[in-house]
Amino acid sequence: MKWNRYAGSGPDVVPAWVADMDFLAPAPVREAVQQRLEVAPLGYAEAPQELLEVFRARMQKLYGWQVKQEWLVVLPGVVPGLFGAVRTAGKAGDAVITQTPNYHHFFGAAGYSDQRLLPLGHQLRGGRWEMDLDQLPHLAGQGARSFLLCNPHNPLGRVLSEQELSQVAEFCLQHDLLICADEIHAELVLDGDKQHVPLASLSPEVATQSITLVSPSKAFNLPGIGAFALAVIPDADLRATFARRIYGLAAHPGALSFAAALAAWRDCDDWLAELLPYLRDNRDLLQQRVAAMTGVTMTHVEATYLAWLDVSALAIENPFEHFLAHGVALSDGRPMGDGNFLRLNFGTSRARLEQIIQRMEVALGAR
């Protein structure tokens, strides 16, 4: 999909848009999928017990977060979890609070559920994007039933601090809002002085009012094998309601996605340890080169492999189309909430990243 989407826009468009990486899946993942193909029929599958146990042990090891097995709901990806959370918390006519800009499915989770979107904006402070938490009192009393949180944030690349998370959580507790945290990029923290904190690990009270969505898909580059995710829902009543809301709508993952997820979480830490410095160097290269561009700025990316580029100073009517015409496909910022920005995926080889940057420089020179 990444390479096909804009193939008709020119003979040689280099894609840097959709959030998957140009790297092969780890060898243990490929071997596990091949083995699964050879040892058993591809019938209907259930999540292996070992997969759930490996996940729980991983959360304890990485974050000191004790997750019970009964809290887990198996999903075919994080996006169905976002939609399910909104429909669990509210009904048509209610409202959803979420950060903006944001991954576009956060907005769709509200719109396709016939609920109103209440955006919580960001402000640039000291070169760092921060949620404008002063807006929260103004959002109270407007019919919100849920708060959708993206952390680490796509597209801003932020790792929210424990203090920021606590402020959001306290607001949600005070106003009886379900908190749904998309934490799919949690293992892609690039800065050594940053640490991902699962929202539900803040306190038992927060956990009771939360749904946490997790998947190995981003960190281990697995979206093409068939989506798999887990919803961590500590409260039994909330978990039961969520399961009813998604029943028949979110199909069960298949055997190959289970095999891939198990191998990723169990056997691929060495691969991830090699990936993160490579992404970090890509980020640093991109940041250095963007700093020399006229009319484009980039904030520091703390996590993910996605850069949020401010192109407002270019004063171009359609920045996305302008760069596409010069052979590089970035993500248009409009569906994410701000057309003055473009998102760039630097999860690629160094040579291809150089090609992307060079084409951007040509595009800037052609204004």
Side-chain angles (χ1 to χ4, degrees), residues 201-257:
S201 70
L202 292 177
S203 72
E205 293 76 18
V206 174
T208 299
Q209 215 156 296
S210 70
I211 295 174
T212 305
L213 303 175
V214 292
S215 172
S217 175
K218 296 302 180 186
F220 298 96
N221 204 36
L222 304 179
I225 194 64
F228 162 77
L230 291 171
V232 184
I233 311 177
D235 184 78
D237 291 338
L238 181 60
R239 190 166 61 249
T241 302
F242 178 84
R244 287 197 301 272
R245 293 291 182 269
I246 66 170
Y247 184 80
L249 299 176
H252 215 58
L256 299 185
S257 62

Side-chain angles (χ1 to χ4, degrees), residues 22-23 278-279 282 345-350 352-353 356:
D22 291 327
F23 308 129
Y278 195 89
L279 291 178
N282 274 5
N345 176 352
F346 56 84
T348 188
S349 69
R350 196 70 35 79
R352 187 164 292 144
L353 180 59
I356 290 166

Side-chain angles (χ1 to χ4, degrees), residues 50-67:
E50 185 182 4
L51 172 58
L52 304 181
E53 291 174 354
V54 164
F55 167 73
R56 293 173 57 217
R58 193 170 187 84
M59 295 301 99
Q60 175 66 43
K61 174 186 173 183
L62 293 177
Y63 314 118
W65 184 25
Q66 295 183 344
V67 175

Side-chain angles (χ1 to χ4, degrees), residues 149-163:
L149 185 76
C150 188
N151 179 45
H153 193 278
N154 168 18
L156 298 181
R158 276 293 321 282
V159 180
L160 297 181
S161 68
E162 186 168 344
Q163 180 180 359

Side-chain angles (χ1 to χ4, degrees), residues 69-93:
Q69 181 166 319
E70 61 265 27
W71 295 356
L72 304 178
V73 179
V74 177
L75 294 171
V78 161
V79 171
L82 292 172
F83 280 64
V86 166
R87 295 173 185 187
T88 295
K91 60 185 185 303

